[in-house]
Amino acid sequence: MIINASPLIIFGKLNKLELLKKVLKNLIISDAVYREVVISGIELNAKESFIIKDYIEKEEIKIKKLTEEWKEKANFFQKVYTQLDMGEAETIALALQEREKTVLIDEKVARKIAELQGLKALGSLWVLLTAFKKNIIIEDDIKQLINKMTSLDFRVGGDIITEFWGLFEKLKKKK
């Protein structure tokens, strides 16, 4: 799956990239996401950037280049949708280039733009629900991870958290 910077950063901060890998299998990022997460992150001495770099070096996370046509499309997205940063624009363009149906992206505006482009936008919380559904993690893990995420400035609205816990309760009942 094509992944934007914020899910990669939050799972890196949680030291849970392996969880991301178990749920998604293939982790693919664009050049702009690499620059944002690894290059800029290392300059800021962000510990998750070193962890992510290690995953890239071990080819657990792959960097996929945009063709010239899709680079232009990413630039177009950023000009038209001024709220998008280049990582988000490239993530959407890369998903379209690779004919992916879904992207992992947390930012509300970027998710809406991805959906306008015909993509299904999933977020970091979806990864947790899926990991629970697949018996990769248990309820206590979910609670601890949500607490850590919010303490790490993972920005999520109250409505989204309420929806998440509602979906989580439904999943629990199905087990």
Side-chain angles (χ1 to χ4, degrees), residues 16 20 22 26 28 38 42 47 54 63-64 82 89 94 101 129 137 139 148 153 163 165 168:
K16 291 290 183 185
L20 204 55
K22 283 180 183 174
N26 297 318
I28 303 166
V38 177
I42 287 173
K47 79 172 179 133
D54 185 52
I63 304 167
K64 187 93 179 184
T82 55
L94 185 58
K101 291 179 174 41
L129 289 174
I137 59 175
E139 183 173 352
K148 284 183 185 174
D153 291 331
E163 182 182 351
W165 288 120
F168 179 71

Side-chain angles (χ1 to χ4, degrees), residues 115-129:
E115 289 167 359
L116 286 172
Q117 297 303 314
L119 300 168
K120 183 174 183 176
L122 303 171
S124 295
L125 296 176
W126 172 87
V127 172
L128 297 181
L129 289 174

Side-chain angles (χ1 to χ4, degrees), residues 6-11 13-14 105-107 111 123-126 128 145-157 160-161 164:
S6 59
L8 206 52
I9 291 168
I10 195 67
F11 282 96
K13 283 183 177 189
L14 294 168
I105 199 162
D106 284 330
E107 294 78 7
R111 290 169 64 99
S124 295
L125 296 176
W126 172 87
L128 297 181
L145 288 170
I146 293 289
N147 284 336
K148 284 183 185 174
M149 287 168 94
T150 53
S151 73
L152 293 169
D153 291 331
F154 178 72
R155 288 180 230 114
V156 61
I160 302 296
I161 281 290
F164 170 82

